């Protein structure tokens, strides 16, 4: 039995209230920590060159890192009541062992630079170093500075150059953070999960491909979103 695996039920006849995971701050100024050990088996995730050790690493919505095989095993683990852990009736489902967010339908990769979390802190560091005096910062400028970074290997820079790859996904993940709320139906009936979003540390204007940290103040070129607050 894996302790962090929990069971979720659903009862549409109950009045449920949001609780647990969602805080009141509309912006998060940090990005997820880049952990080096699998939180389930405690083995190293990558070697010094950024190549996966002990199997591929899962890419999950919250961006935390865990071995693919460990997460798959968690999906088949039994709860204390003997029931298989499921949120819906199809596919593999688990929860992140770091933040407890629901996880399903993930992909797995063998290189750290293929994962958005590898680039997110680096993007944030560059934005803070440049500052706000020049206005919104072109994403291409950030990419070029990363290409010149001698601490990043040539193999890792190949992922940086791929259009629509991990770097572009990192821009998105730092722009919108997925958070989870628990619609509580009481201990007798279990609970269900509700996904919501909040602003990440930066605003990414996709039309002109520029970045702006929210902590710098009002975004000069912000485009109003047509998306509802809950998705």
């Amino acid at each position: 039995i894996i302790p962090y695996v929990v069971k979720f039920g659903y009862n549409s006849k109950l009045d449920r209230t949001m609780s647990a995971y969602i805080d009141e701050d509309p912006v998060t100024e940090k990005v997820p920590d880049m952990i080096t050990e699998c939180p389930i088996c405690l083995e190293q995730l990558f070697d010094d060159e950024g190549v996966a050790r002990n199997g591929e690493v899962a890419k999950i919505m919250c961006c935390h890192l865990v071995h693919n095989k460990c997460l798959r095993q968690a999906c088949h683990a039994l709860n204390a009541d003997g029931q298989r852990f499921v949120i819906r009736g199809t596919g593999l489902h688990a929860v992140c062992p770091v933040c407890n967010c629901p996880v399903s339908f993930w992909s797995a990769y063998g290189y750290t630079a293929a994962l958005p979390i590898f680039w997110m802190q680096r993007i944030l560091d560059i934005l803070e170093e440049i500052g706000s005096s020049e206005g919104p910062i072109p994403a291409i400028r950030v990419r070029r500075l990363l290409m010149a970074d001698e601490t990043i290997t040539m193999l890792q820079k190949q992922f940086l150059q791929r259009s629509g790859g991990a770097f572009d996904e990192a821009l998105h993940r730092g722009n919108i953070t997925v958070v989870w709320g628990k619609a509580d139906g009481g201990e007798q009936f279990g609970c269900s999960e509700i996904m919501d979003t909040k602003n990440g540390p930066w605003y990414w204007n996709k039309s002109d491909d520029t970045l702006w940290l929210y902590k710098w103040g009002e975004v000069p070129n912000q485009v109003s979103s047509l998306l509802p607050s809950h998705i």
Side-chain angles (χ1 to χ4, degrees), residues 148-219:
D149 188 338
E150 296 181 356
T151 67
I152 300 175
T153 69
M154 292 305 299
L155 175 61
Q156 292 165 342
K157 290 176 181 178
Q158 291 180 21
F159 290 94
L160 178 62
Q161 294 173 310
R162 296 179 183 178
S163 176
F167 177 79
D168 289 341
E169 187 172 353
L171 296 179
H172 172 70
R173 294 293 186 185
N175 179 56
I176 296 293
T177 300
V178 174
V179 293
W180 291 87
K182 182 165 61 177
D184 192 357
E187 293 183 2
Q188 181 179 356
F189 299 101
C191 60
S192 61
E193 298 296 311
I194 295 178
M195 185 174 71
D196 201 355
T197 61
K198 63 188 295 186
N199 292 328
W202 59 74
Y203 173 72
W204 177 33
N205 186 314
K206 296 181 182 179
S207 61
D208 60 12
D209 202 23
T210 58
L211 299 162
W212 178 268
L213 291 182
Y214 281 105
K215 70 179 184 180
W216 290 341
E218 184 178 354
V219 181

Side-chain angles (χ1 to χ4, degrees), residues 85-191:
F85 171 74
V86 292
I87 298 177
R88 296 183 294 275
T90 59
L92 293 173
H93 304 279
V95 293
C96 172
V98 177
C99 67
N100 207 44
C101 286
V103 175
S104 62
F105 306 108
W106 63 88
S107 53
Y109 295 89
Y111 300 93
T112 181
L115 301 162
I117 192 173
F118 177 81
W119 301 104
M120 291 173 70
Q121 185 62 55
R122 289 172 169 82
I123 293 171
L124 183 58
D125 290 343
I126 288 176
L127 294 177
E128 291 180 334
E129 182 177 351
I130 295 175
S132 61
S133 61
E134 301 176 26
I137 300 168
I140 187 63
R141 180 179 178 184
V142 177
R143 193 190 298 261
R144 287 170 178 167
L145 289 171
L146 289 170
M147 285 296 297
D149 188 338
E150 296 181 356
T151 67
I152 300 175
T153 69
M154 292 305 299
L155 175 61
Q156 292 165 342
K157 290 176 181 178
Q158 291 180 21
F159 290 94
L160 178 62
Q161 294 173 310
R162 296 179 183 178
S163 176
F167 177 79
D168 289 341
E169 187 172 353
L171 296 179
H172 172 70
R173 294 293 186 185
N175 179 56
I176 296 293
T177 300
V178 174
V179 293
W180 291 87
K182 182 165 61 177
D184 192 357
E187 293 183 2
Q188 181 179 356
F189 299 101
C191 60

Side-chain angles (χ1 to χ4, degrees), residues 37 43 76 81 118 182 189 225:
E37 294 181 351
E43 296 291 338
H76 298 294
D81 61 2
F118 177 81
K182 182 165 61 177
F189 299 101
S225 174

Side-chain angles (χ1 to χ4, degrees), residues 29-66:
E29 294 186 356
K30 298 181 179 180
V31 298
D33 292 331
M34 180 79 180
I35 60 177
T36 60
E37 294 181 351
C38 173
I40 296 179
C41 71
L42 304 182
E43 296 291 338
Q44 289 292 318
L45 290 165
F46 300 99
D47 64 19
D48 293 339
E49 299 298 320
V51 179
R53 299 181 59 182
N54 305 303
E56 292 184 323
V57 174
K59 185 181 75 173
I60 57 181
M61 188 174 294
C62 61
C63 292
H64 291 122
L65 303 181
V66 57

